Amino acid sequence: MLVAAARTPTELTVMVDRRAAGLPLEYVIGWAEFCGLQVAVDIGVFVPRHRTEFLVRQAAALTLSGAIVVDLCCGSGAVGAALAAAVERIELYAADIDPVAVRCARRNVAVAGGQVFEGDLYEPLPASLRGRVDVLVANAPYVPTKAIELLPPEARIHEARMALDGGADGLDMQRRVAVAASLWLVPGGHLLVETSERQASQTVEIFSCSGLIPRVARFDDLDATVVIGTKPVLHSDSGE
């Protein structure tokens, strides 16, 4: 991959030296492969994991053409961009609190015709989206604070800590996403988050307490766990 990315022998030498020094490969070449896409990744931005492709597949199965989709904690924008590639004509919005990630995400999401906003979770989203979102995906950080020191150095040293640290039990961001999700989702709309197999039962409880109907999807080959919460459809919502 380094040979393919380098334009000159000198550039290849520099790239090899940077990789040998521990810089993640994706930062060295400037992109990551994700769901068959080349996703631009700038230094410090969370590198999309292949595990998260399962989150995309679960979301795509629930997304209809023309749906309004929001990608929270979007990082590079990989999840939203992959959903736009998988489902025709979605209306895509993404948000992240990290300005470096937002600049990166705009490069990836603009190709899909989407918009990226800088700010804390729902805060920067257009108010016109409230109650209209069909699918909300959030690959929010879920690593417990004390477990960050156990991560591989590529992540621990080079990725932004805010993209990894989920608080004492790893679920602080999931709580914040879930508690407000019903305000933004349409009746019958879905919130999907990636979590760990160990944390899944707690994520389910968080969703239930936030008024969502939860279920767990698991794919052992990628060690991937996704919790899906559906906003109930009430009789008044359906016009009955």
Side-chain angles (χ1 to χ4, degrees):
M1 293 180 72
L2 293 175
V3 169
R7 291 166 293 187
T8 66
T10 299
E11 187 174 31
L12 177 60
T13 298
V14 172
M15 294 172 77
V16 169
D17 288 345
R18 296 177 79 197
R19 180 68 187 115
L23 192 68
L25 175 64
E26 294 82 2
Y27 293 162
V28 176
I29 63 176
W31 58 272
E33 191 280 325
F34 183 76
C35 290
L37 304 176
Q38 281 193 8
V39 176
V41 180
D42 295 331
I43 290 178
V45 176
F46 182 81
V47 176
R49 284 25 171 192
H50 286 296
R51 172 190 303 116
T52 307
E53 294 179 356
F54 183 62
L55 173 65
V56 172
R57 292 202 294 270
Q58 293 296 307
L62 298 169
T63 305
L64 301 177
S65 177
I68 294 177
V69 176
V70 171
D71 179 8
L72 285 185
C73 305
C74 69
S76 66
V79 171
L83 273 173
V87 184
E88 293 182 346
R89 297 187 300 277
I90 65 170
E91 189 176 330
L92 176 61
Y93 302 86
D96 200 286
I97 198 170
D98 181 1
V100 177
V102 168
R103 286 195 296 271
C104 183
R106 283 179 175 149
R107 294 161 59 196
N108 294 310
V109 173
V111 176
Q115 300 180 58
V116 185
F117 300 89
E118 180 183 334
D120 187 21
L121 297 183
Y122 302 96
E123 181 272 329
L125 295 176
S128 60
L129 292 179
R130 289 172 70 97
R132 298 179 54 230
V133 177
D134 298 292
V135 175
L136 176 61
V137 289
N139 189 20
Y142 57 91
V143 179
T145 301
K146 290 184 178 179
I148 290 178
E149 62 188 30
L150 304 176
L151 293 175
E154 284 87 352
R156 186 179 71 249
I157 296 172
H158 296 284
E159 292 180 327
R161 189 180 180 96
M162 71 176 71
L164 303 170
D165 193 343
D169 64 356
L171 302 175
D172 284 356
M173 292 299 291
Q174 289 186 13
R175 291 185 181 93
R176 294 185 60 212
V177 170
V179 74
S182 289
L183 298 176
W184 293 85
L185 290 171
V186 299
H190 308 284
L191 166 64
L192 300 93
V193 302
E194 181 178 289
T195 193
S196 70
E197 186 174 21
R198 178 181 57 81
Q199 294 166 311
S201 61
Q202 293 170 276
T203 303
V204 164
E205 183 178 357
I206 289 168
F207 277 33
S208 294
C209 291
S210 300
L212 302 172
I213 302 169
R215 65 181 176 89
V216 179
R218 172 75 185 167
F219 186 49
D220 289 334
D221 288 359
L222 290 175
D223 187 25
T225 304
V226 171
V227 176
I228 303 163
T230 302
K231 179 178 176 178
V233 178
L234 304 178
H235 291 311
S236 58
D237 293 327
S238 61
E240 296 178 11

